[in-house]
Amino acid sequence: MKRDEKIFDLIRQEKERQMHGIELIASENFVSEQVLEAMGSVMTNKYAEGYPGKRYYGGCQIVDQSEQVAIDRACQLFGATFANVQPHSGAQANMAVFQAVMNAGDTFMGLDLSHGGHLSHGSPVNASGILYKPVAYHVNKETGMVDYDEMEKIALECKPKLIVAGASAYSRDWDYARMRAIADQVGAILMADVSHPAGLIARGLLNDPLKYCHIITTTTHKTLRGPRGGMILMREDFADPQGRTTPKGEVKMMSALINSAVFPGVQGGPLEHVIASKAVAFGEALSDEYMAYIQQVKKNASVMAQAFIDKGYYIISGGTDNHSMLIDLRSKFPEVTGKMVENTLVLADITVNKNMVPFDSRSPFLTSGLRIGTPAITTRGLKEDKMPMIVELIDDVISAIDPAVKTAPEAKINAVRAEVNKLMSDYPLFAW
Ligand code: DSN
């Protein structure tokens, strides 16, 4: 077969882009060579509908073992007793949990998308908002922190079947104990989607959601630094709150409902190459090197947030407990949108994403905010001493943006890009 030069040239170009730039998208990371190798392996050739030991295809004796290793390592990492490592993504993991615990039309609560929530937590354009009845809770306007008093009030009014903790753009830890107390008052299941801070949670740098939440979902490719994918975890199995029973009349347990919601509920064949790669990443996440890495992620974020504050930027909630921060540009540059900044920074080889801020006056296409995270640059080996320098480069570009033309002068962009490329030439993609 002729080599596909077109696609491999694009892959080469993408690698160059990743090498040259400063990657600050909070949900991105760089995987190790062995995680990449497992993902690009012959495991992709195998169909394995079902679960280890209970498949609908022959020849699964090897993938059964690698999937079991992934399950065991995931449990070890989070102190869980149940793991389903098959979800193709975080959104798929969430859909499977929704299907396991709710009926179509049931009410559930999630953080408002424009306050840092996620599409799959009830946005009207997502299946979660189409099949179920989402009710949003919010952050407090003054503090920028999740408003648990409002959450309680709403829960008592709408009596949700499920309450979802977790966010895509929220820099603070969660009060899972308070959320469980709220859930218990109304008989709701408490689920945490920890996709963003999963690595910090796994290594004890943030509150442990499994102490209070019935179920947690996560992606595996953000702070966890594995392949793109999702998973579902529980510490204790519990009876189906809807009282469903097996044909023999036994009450179904949540682990059985979740497994059948993932397959055959929302997915078909599992991606065994990705599951093997998840196993490798979980093994890495259990190591001392990863512990040092994830501590550095947190340190870098904290130093970077302070450097932005020192330059006069407003960070929602006033700082960060995790790997990320959400900047409200309006305090320093009222006329500059998140879109202008994202587009201009990318020309200087700095990648961030525009983001709505709570109570934003602009649309999701423009936004007043910028979401920034440190998992990827930390994987490249950058330490806290480089954070003020990166903030300086970002501020240099933003300060030069002319809102009338929506960008900065070319000379300024070129000068910053040269500095970015020079800095990053000293760092490999994966330094650990
Ligand atoms: N989880 C989103 C993000 O944080 O970028 C993508 O769905």
Side-chain angles (χ1 to χ4, degrees), residues 300 304 382-391 423 427:
N300 283 353
M304 183 177 270
L382 279 93
K383 300 270 169 34
E384 67 272 21
D385 60 310
K386 292 291 185 300
M387 299 302 118
M389 179 186 175
I390 292 174
V391 171
L423 172 69
Y427 296 91

Side-chain angles (χ1 to χ4, degrees), residues 27 118 168 196 222 371:
S27 49
H118 189 253
S168 256
H196 266 264
K222 298 185 173 91
R371 187 186 66 164

